[in-house]
Amino acid sequence: MGTPQSTDPSGLVVKAEQVHKQFGRLHVLKGVDLAVKPGEVMCVIGPSGSGKSTFLRCINHLEKIDGGRLWVNGHLVGYRQKGDRLYELRDREVAAQRREIGMVFQQFNLFPHMTALDNLMEAPCRVRREPKGAVRERALKLLDRVGLADKVKAYPAQLSGGQQQRVAIARALAMQPSLMLFDEPTSALDPELVGEVLDVMRQLAVDGMTMIVVTHEMGFAREVGDTLVFMDDGTVVEHGHPREVLSNPRHTRTQDFLSKVL
């Protein structure tokens, strides 16, 4: 009989229960509870050091949690439960889980020696061993989808920051993830390039992609988000519909933060 995978039957894409994370004495996440439904766009805001990026990195097990439970698509992230005990998954099993999750960082992290097309094809061909012809066809469609059909043969150094970030989004989508994580994807861009990246993300939302977006773009959160989460000091202070939270925040800490950024 196989070991149980500890599935969470709630039908959520992401479920966090009392997630804790420490780096030495620094307690970065202090009992985070969150739930993301299929097709939902959750935007996460808050000051630097509030734990937003760390939480994203825990979702795809780039960081191991120190307490609580975290599920993606009904499966415990990074662990298997047997009885009351948790056992860490092997690296191979963690990598298999991670394939379901696309992540886009502040920095574009493209392979500088590869063209835009090759950047997209690398992981599906090498990690998933998919046939090259099918991957190439999908990659070309994705570059077209992010408005870069004319940049197939361009290297990262030949692209603007906004174009590189759009390639990075297309590269994440090439693995056909069920969840996309965005860690302040526009913060490294010149202001005039922000819009082209947000447009791609808007279209992903329209297409029904489940997304968690750590962002400072309040207009995007208001317009595209289904849920807005305000984090501070490792905790979720407030969450609700973006328009409600932005126009009528209940907590004084949220009010104070928004008075500085809106």
Side-chain angles (χ1 to χ4, degrees):
M1 193 171 96
T3 314
Q5 254 291 5
S6 183
T7 57
D8 169 41
S10 57
L12 297 168
V13 177
V14 179
K15 184 178 181 183
E17 280 184 1
Q18 286 297 297
V19 170
H20 287 259
K21 176 63 188 175
Q22 290 180 239
F23 295 104
R25 292 183 177 179
L26 186 63
H27 203 162
V28 181
L29 298 177
K30 303 173 181 175
V32 172
D33 292 310
L34 282 175
V36 183
K37 299 191 283 288
E40 182 177 351
V41 178
M42 176 180 282
C43 294
V44 185
I45 62 172
S48 293
S50 58
K52 309 181 302 290
S53 295
T54 298
F55 179 64
L56 276 197
R57 292 173 66 83
C58 288
I59 290 173
N60 69 355
H61 207 57
L62 289 173
E63 301 290 354
K64 298 176 185 177
I65 65 174
D66 296 311
R69 296 283 192 277
L70 191 51
W71 291 267
V72 172
N73 293 322
H75 296 289
L76 269 178
V77 173
Y79 297 91
R80 175 184 290 109
Q81 186 165 341
K82 192 173 185 181
D84 293 334
R85 298 197 60 183
L86 288 181
Y87 298 89
E88 200 163 342
L89 296 179
R90 298 184 186 91
D91 289 347
R92 188 180 74 248
E93 295 170 304
V94 171
Q97 282 189 339
R98 211 173 270 150
R99 286 175 211 160
E100 295 295 311
I101 304 168
M103 188 156 184
V104 179
F105 301 86
Q106 295 176 36
Q107 304 302 328
F108 322 124
N109 297 328
L110 298 175
F111 298 117
H113 63 290
M114 292 184 182
T115 64
L117 180 63
D118 289 337
N119 263 282
L120 265 67
M121 291 179 63
E122 177 72 1
C125 289
R126 187 172 292 232
V127 176
R128 282 205 162 146
R129 307 254 188 255
E130 291 185 59
K132 223 168 189 175
V135 172
R136 179 184 169 83
E137 192 177 326
R138 184 163 80 238
L140 290 170
K141 284 179 182 171
L142 284 169
L143 286 171
D144 184 44
R145 186 174 174 186
V146 299
L148 293 172
D150 59 334
K151 301 295 184 183
V152 168
K153 294 181 179 176
Y155 289 88
Q158 298 170 313
L159 301 171
S160 71
Q163 289 170 334
Q164 288 186 62
Q165 192 62 297
R166 285 187 279 156
V167 172
I169 293 171
R171 181 177 64 175
L173 292 171
M175 288 291 280
Q176 300 178 295
S178 59
L179 169 67
M180 285 286 284
L181 308 176
F182 292 88
D183 188 7
E184 298 185 14
T186 59
S187 65
L189 299 177
D190 292 334
E192 67 268 24
L193 301 177
V194 168
E196 64 191 53
V197 173
L198 293 181
D199 285 345
V200 170
M201 294 168 65
R202 275 189 197 93
Q203 191 55 51
L204 282 180
V206 169
D207 294 343
M209 175 60 74
T210 309
M211 296 154 61
I212 303 178
V213 184
V214 171
T215 186
H216 289 114
E217 302 291 338
M218 300 300 163
F220 175 86
R222 181 187 282 111
E223 178 194 343
V224 181
D226 298 301
T227 311
L228 184 65
V229 172
F230 172 65
M231 287 184 69
D232 186 42
D233 194 28
T235 64
V236 173
V237 176
E238 187 164 350
H239 68 94
H241 191 276
R243 289 169 196 260
E244 180 65 26
V245 174
L246 291 172
S247 62
N248 189 26
R250 296 190 307 274
H251 293 265
T252 53
R253 183 67 191 94
T254 319
Q255 293 165 10
D256 180 51
F257 175 78
L258 290 175
S259 72
K260 293 181 173 72
V261 300
L262 288 178

